[in-house]
Amino acid sequence: CVYKCSFCGAAKFLGNKWRAFSAERMIEEFEYWYAQGYRNFHFSDSLFALDKQRVSAFCTHVIDSGYCDVAFTADGVRADHLTAEVLQQMKRANFTTLILGVESLNDKTLEFFHKGETFSQIDNTISIADSMGFDIIVYLIVGAPVETYEDALKSIHYPIKYKNIVSAVVSKLMPIKGTPYYQYAIE
């Protein structure tokens, strides 16, 4: 991941350079597994929509080829990468589920996490996705030192705001060795 969220160990364990399949490689792999009989596809890539042209090329292929019997999930997608146009194209290409890292409703907490997004950006994307009928799963984190009890409760209750948030994963903030938050916790 190219982002530096203070709680996340991805950069420590996977590096901080984004290495992604090209659209052509994504299509090739999809075609292979489709021919094997698979119809549900799960993209576990927090930066899935970082390259909007790649997403567009993949979705265009699925749409133009008439694949109506497939369902796609985009897991861990950053909200600031999903525009209304990208979401519309993903919906037309049979993306049914989006899994987003919300983390917190509190901008102070998001700043503490070095998330690089504001809650209004995240909420706006979820609002658009909800109106389009995506099933939405959200990740939330409670327990940041800058968070109040009321902030945590707001985060926990957030999923009931939208009819299409079908699941929420609420985790407590844990210091993962090698992350900036771990260093903060040690100090």
Side-chain angles (χ1 to χ4, degrees):
C1 182
V2 297
Y3 292 92
K4 298 183 179 3
C5 297
S6 63
F7 60 85
C8 182
K12 172 77 174 164
F13 303 111
L14 303 172
N16 61 357
K17 180 180 179 190
W18 186 52
R19 296 174 303 274
F21 283 164
S22 66
E24 294 78 19
R25 178 71 172 103
M26 289 172 62
I27 292 166
E28 178 185 310
E29 184 137 344
F30 162 69
E31 293 281 355
Y32 172 82
W33 291 109
Y34 184 87
Q36 303 302 312
Y38 290 88
R39 298 299 181 263
N40 290 302
F41 299 87
H42 188 107
F43 292 95
S44 184
D45 179 356
S46 59
L47 301 180
F48 176 75
L50 180 66
D51 181 349
K52 291 170 186 56
Q53 291 178 330
R54 177 180 83 121
V55 173
S56 178
F58 179 79
C59 290
T60 297
H61 174 78
V62 171
I63 295 164
D64 290 350
S65 299
Y67 290 107
C68 299
D69 60 343
V70 295
F72 298 102
T73 295
D75 181 357
V77 180
R78 282 182 58 96
D80 58 349
H81 294 166
L82 296 173
T83 64
E85 296 78 21
V86 170
L87 287 167
Q88 287 169 347
Q89 192 170 30
M90 289 173 69
K91 189 68 174 173
R92 288 184 55 225
N94 301 316
F95 277 82
T96 58
T97 306
L98 302 173
I99 305 173
L100 295 121
V102 173
E103 308 347 328
S104 175
L105 279 63
N106 183 304
D107 282 335
K108 187 186 288 187
T109 303
L110 294 174
E111 288 174 25
F112 178 80
F113 288 158
H114 300 184
K115 180 81 171 154
E117 293 176 291
T118 64
F119 175 67
S120 64
Q121 290 174 303
I122 296 166
D123 189 51
N124 182 58
T125 297
I126 290 174
S127 176
I128 294 167
D130 184 72
S131 71
M132 291 181 180
F134 284 97
D135 286 340
I136 302 165
I137 299 170
V138 296
Y139 288 114
L140 298 158
I141 300 172
V142 296
V146 297
E147 180 179 61
T148 66
Y149 178 75
E150 290 76 24
D151 293 334
L153 283 179
K154 285 179 187 174
S155 290
I156 291 167
H157 291 118
Y158 176 70
I160 63 175
K161 179 178 178 181
Y162 293 106
K163 68 177 185 172
N164 292 312
I165 294 183
V166 297
S167 183
V169 178
V170 180
S171 303
K172 64 181 179 177
L173 180 59
M174 297 291 294
I176 299 170
K177 193 169 188 173
T179 64
Y181 179 66
Y182 180 85
Q183 191 59 42
Y184 173 89
I186 293 295
E187 291 170 5

